[in-house]
């Protein structure tokens, strides 16, 4: 079937979302409303009557049109209710218009390609076993630290207000150099209330004995997946094992219900090591890149790299 390039305003979002819902995987990131929140702009490739689709998030810098991954949106790529194969994925990638002078897009973990892509790590945990089975794979250090936290006067609560979430995330972003730009923080602040209204957001906070929010985890939820969107802890939160306790609370809440906990990363060794402590396994996804000659020459002549000139 023909693969068409459609501008955002020409998309049938009802058919688009129906395609995403029936796809395997059906990732929350790819729904039209979510893309509207996290992308500067996005167009799409559509095969036939929405038998398969691929969003193209993009931004503009220095007169160049750049197809790049937006924040809070780990994987996109090709989605279809029918089984995907390498030939179809390659056809979509070949159909990406030349008007995009620079492309760096994260495909999803079902977009298998033998060559032409780099793989990035993503750690996931199957919550199908019972809690005893899951805990058998937890590192003993996690169990010890959480038990110590539970014996303290710290309290776990769900439904944290957005102001408190943003303040703690902003503090950690500055303190630990998380790399969230002001534009990304604005998108997060816009994302949280919409996801709350749609019933797909879970926020869990740990409060210190002084009733101070010292750790918070923000998660998204669809029919089959829990996404670790963002987390933050201050010194007190780290002392009281805030994030391990929040994660175990979430695991206990959804264990045995058919969910996969998606930790969303990471290529950072220390973060990957933390996720592995919960028995998470690597489920890598491909990253496709294409550089237009003019854009590549320009950015290299200015001694800029992608993560710098895409900061908003």
């Amino acid at each position: 079937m023909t693969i068409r390039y459609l501008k955002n305003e020409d998309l049938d979002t009802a058919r688009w979302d129906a395609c995403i819902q029936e796809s395997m995987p059906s990732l929350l990131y790819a729904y039209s409303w979510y893309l509207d929140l996290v992308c500067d702009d996005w167009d799409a490739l559509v095969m036939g009557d929405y038998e398969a689709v691929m969003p193209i998030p993009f931004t503009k810098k220095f007169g160049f049109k750049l197809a790049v991954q937006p924040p809070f949106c780990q994987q996109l790529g090709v989605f279809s209710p029918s089984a995907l194969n390498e030939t179809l994925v390659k056809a979509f990638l070949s159909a990406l218009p030349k008007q995009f002078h620079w492309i760096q897009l994260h495909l999803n973990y079902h977009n298998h390609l033998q060559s032409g892509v780099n793989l990035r790590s993503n750690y996931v945990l199957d919550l199908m076993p019972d809690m005893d089975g899951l805990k058998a794979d937890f590192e003993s250090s996690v169990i010890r630290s959480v038990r110590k936290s539970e014996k303290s006067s710290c309290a776990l609560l769900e439904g944290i207000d957005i102001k408190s979430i943003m303040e703690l995330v902003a503090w950690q972003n500055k303190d630990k150099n998380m790399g969230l730009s002001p534009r990304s923080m604005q998108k997060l602040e816009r994302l949280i209330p919409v996801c709350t209204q749609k019933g797909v957001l879970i926020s869990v906070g740990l409060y210190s004995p002084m009733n101070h929010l010292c750790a918070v985890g923000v998660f998204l939820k669809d029919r089959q997946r829990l996404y670790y969107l963002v987390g933050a802890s201050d010194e007190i939160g780290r002392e009281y094992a805030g994030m391990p306790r929040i994660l175990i609370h979430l695991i206990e809440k959804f264990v045995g219900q058919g969910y996969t906990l998606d930790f969303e990363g990471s290529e950072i060794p220390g973060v990957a090591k933390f996720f592995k402590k919960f028995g998470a396994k690597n489920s890598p996804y491909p990253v496709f890149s294409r550089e237009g000659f003019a854009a590549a020459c320009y950015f290299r002549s200015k001694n800029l790299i992608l993560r710098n000139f895409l900061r908003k």
Side-chain angles (χ1 to χ4, degrees):
M1 295 185 184
T2 302
I3 298 174
R4 298 170 292 154
Y5 170 64
L6 296 179
K7 292 189 175 182
N8 187 285
E9 59 267 25
D10 297 323
L11 289 168
D12 185 326
T13 55
R15 288 185 179 180
W16 176 278
D17 289 340
C19 176
I20 300 302
Q21 184 173 356
E22 298 302 320
S23 294
M24 180 54 68
S26 175
L27 297 179
L28 190 67
Y29 314 118
Y31 283 95
S32 60
W33 64 267
Y34 194 92
L35 291 167
D36 287 343
L37 289 169
V38 299
C39 298
D40 289 353
D41 290 294
W42 69 281
D43 293 337
L45 296 174
V46 176
M47 186 180 79
D49 190 17
Y50 292 81
E51 278 84 4
V53 300
M54 179 181 179
I56 311 174
F58 68 91
T59 190
K60 295 177 181 177
K61 290 284 182 180
F62 313 121
F64 294 100
K65 200 171 184 180
L66 315 171
V68 291
Q69 204 74 11
F72 311 111
C73 186
Q74 188 197 62
Q75 302 177 36
L76 290 173
V78 183
F79 295 87
S80 175
S82 302
L84 291 170
N85 56 52
E86 185 171 7
T87 300
L88 180 60
V89 175
K90 284 184 174 180
F92 269 87
L93 297 179
S94 297
L96 287 167
K98 300 298 183 184
Q99 63 183 268
F100 295 103
H101 303 94
W102 186 300
I103 296 174
Q104 187 177 84
L105 295 176
H106 299 185
L107 311 183
N108 67 69
Y109 64 95
H110 272 215
N111 289 176
H112 302 297
L113 293 168
Q114 297 299 315
S115 62
V117 293
N118 295 316
L119 292 179
R120 289 195 182 177
S121 298
N122 184 49
Y123 288 87
V124 299
L125 180 64
D126 181 2
L127 302 187
M128 279 300 290
D130 58 26
M131 197 63 200
D132 288 339
L134 287 173
K135 282 186 176 179
D137 290 330
F138 289 179
E139 285 194 10
S140 58
S141 62
V142 171
I143 301 296
R144 287 196 305 271
S145 62
V146 169
R147 284 176 179 169
K148 181 180 177 181
S149 177
E150 289 172 344
K151 291 178 181 178
S152 71
S153 300
C154 294
L156 276 179
L157 292 176
E158 291 192 17
I160 311 304
D161 66 276
I162 185 171
K163 181 176 182 292
S164 297
I165 293 172
M166 294 303 301
E167 285 178 352
L168 190 52
V169 171
W171 180 88
Q172 180 165 291
N173 186 41
K174 182 179 180 180
D175 184 62
K176 295 296 182 181
N177 192 24
M178 292 168 61
L180 292 176
S181 68
R183 284 291 299 279
S184 293
M185 292 292 289
Q186 289 172 7
K187 289 180 180 180
L188 179 62
E189 192 168 17
R190 188 166 66 242
L191 190 63
I192 289 173
V194 174
C195 288
T196 301
Q197 291 166 9
K198 290 183 174 291
V200 300
L201 186 135
I202 302 167
S203 59
V204 186
L206 183 73
Y207 285 81
S208 74
M210 302 300 293
N211 198 33
H212 157 71
L213 180 66
C214 56
V216 68
V218 181
F219 306 88
L220 302 178
K221 176 178 73 72
D222 59 22
R223 295 175 301 167
Q224 58 196 17
R225 207 169 186 89
L226 302 166
Y227 307 78
Y228 183 13
L229 184 68
V230 68
S233 300
D234 62 17
E235 293 94 339
I236 299 173
R238 288 190 281 273
E239 178 184 351
Y240 285 105
M243 287 316 303
R245 192 167 167 189
I246 287 169
L247 287 167
I248 288 181
H249 169 81
L250 189 80
I251 291 168
E252 289 177 336
K253 183 182 179 76
F254 290 98
V255 67
Q257 299 180 42
Y259 282 93
T260 295
L261 174 55
D262 187 338
F263 287 94
E264 291 204 340
S266 168
E267 294 296 310
I268 303 171
V271 177
K273 183 179 180 181
F274 176 70
F275 296 154
K276 290 177 184 178
K277 290 182 178 182
F278 295 88
K281 307 299 182 184
N282 190 14
S283 174
Y285 60 92
V287 176
F288 173 76
S289 300
R290 189 183 77 194
E291 298 180 7
F293 180 75
C297 290
Y298 176 82
F299 291 123
R300 288 171 182 171
S301 70
K302 297 295 184 181
N303 196 27
L304 296 173
I305 57 177
L306 189 64
R307 67 174 178 269
N308 286 333
F309 69 70
L310 291 179
R311 289 181 67 85
K312 302 183 174 61

